Amino acid sequence: MKVTLISIPVTDQEKASKFYTEKLGFIIKKDAPLEGGNRWLTLVSPEWQDGPELLLEPAPNHFEPSRVYQDALMEAGIPYTQFDVENVEAEYERLTKLDVKFSVKPTEMGTVKFAVFNDTCGNNIQLVENL
């Protein structure tokens, strides 16, 4: 068994697509239209194009429990998911220059350094560097 797809709820697929590709650097793997103006929109890391796909899931717009959960995580400041990076400080600097808003600046805790940013589509995302 292996993980091939991971969903992240987004309030606006088009806005999320631009943020995740233009600012974070992911690339679109699949983009197929679905009913109701939604899309099957998956992204992959350019460094691991055969790795797990990230589905930009419009569930908060159609499934109230998803919206409630997403809103509760955001209000509590809890990241929805995390992305590993080689250098949190460098990513923080790069993304800050692209106007990405961080709620937690690079911070060391034990064997990791992390930072948390807002993806503009309803989620806090944590960046993690193993020290």
Side-chain angles (χ1 to χ4, degrees):
M1 189 177 308
K2 63 182 176 178
V3 176
T4 60
L5 182 82
I6 300 164
S7 290
I8 186 163
V10 297
T11 54
D12 183 322
Q13 282 185 307
E14 186 59 33
K15 184 177 180 182
S17 176
K18 286 182 180 184
F19 181 86
Y20 279 80
T21 58
E22 295 174 9
K23 297 199 180 199
L24 300 185
F26 286 93
I27 57 176
I28 294 173
K29 177 101 179 205
K30 296 175 186 147
D31 189 355
L34 299 172
E35 292 179 13
N38 297 311
R39 296 150 58 190
W40 183 261
L41 181 57
T42 68
L43 311 172
V44 292
S45 168
E47 294 92 24
W48 195 12
Q49 293 184 32
D50 292 327
E53 294 177 47
L54 179 63
L55 173 64
L56 300 179
E57 171 65 60
N61 299 330
H62 311 288
F63 186 59
E64 186 61 22
S66 178
R67 177 177 287 287
V68 169
Y69 179 65
Q70 184 185 36
D71 289 348
L73 287 177
M74 185 60 113
E75 185 176 315
I78 297 172
Y80 186 85
T81 195
Q82 80 175 35
F83 300 136
D84 287 357
V85 296
E86 292 291 321
N87 185 321
V88 165
E89 199 72 47
E91 281 299 309
Y92 172 80
E93 293 298 326
R94 182 182 77 79
L95 293 172
T96 299
K97 288 177 184 173
L98 294 172
D99 295 322
V100 174
K101 304 299 182 214
F102 281 79
S103 58
V104 177
K105 294 179 180 181
T107 304
E108 282 191 35
M109 185 177 291
T111 60
V112 299
K113 185 183 279 189
F114 69 96
V116 179
F117 66 86
N118 181 322
D119 76 351
T120 72
C121 298
N123 304 290
N124 288 307
I125 305 294
Q126 181 169 271
L127 299 178
V128 174
E129 169 189 351
N130 290 306
L131 301 174

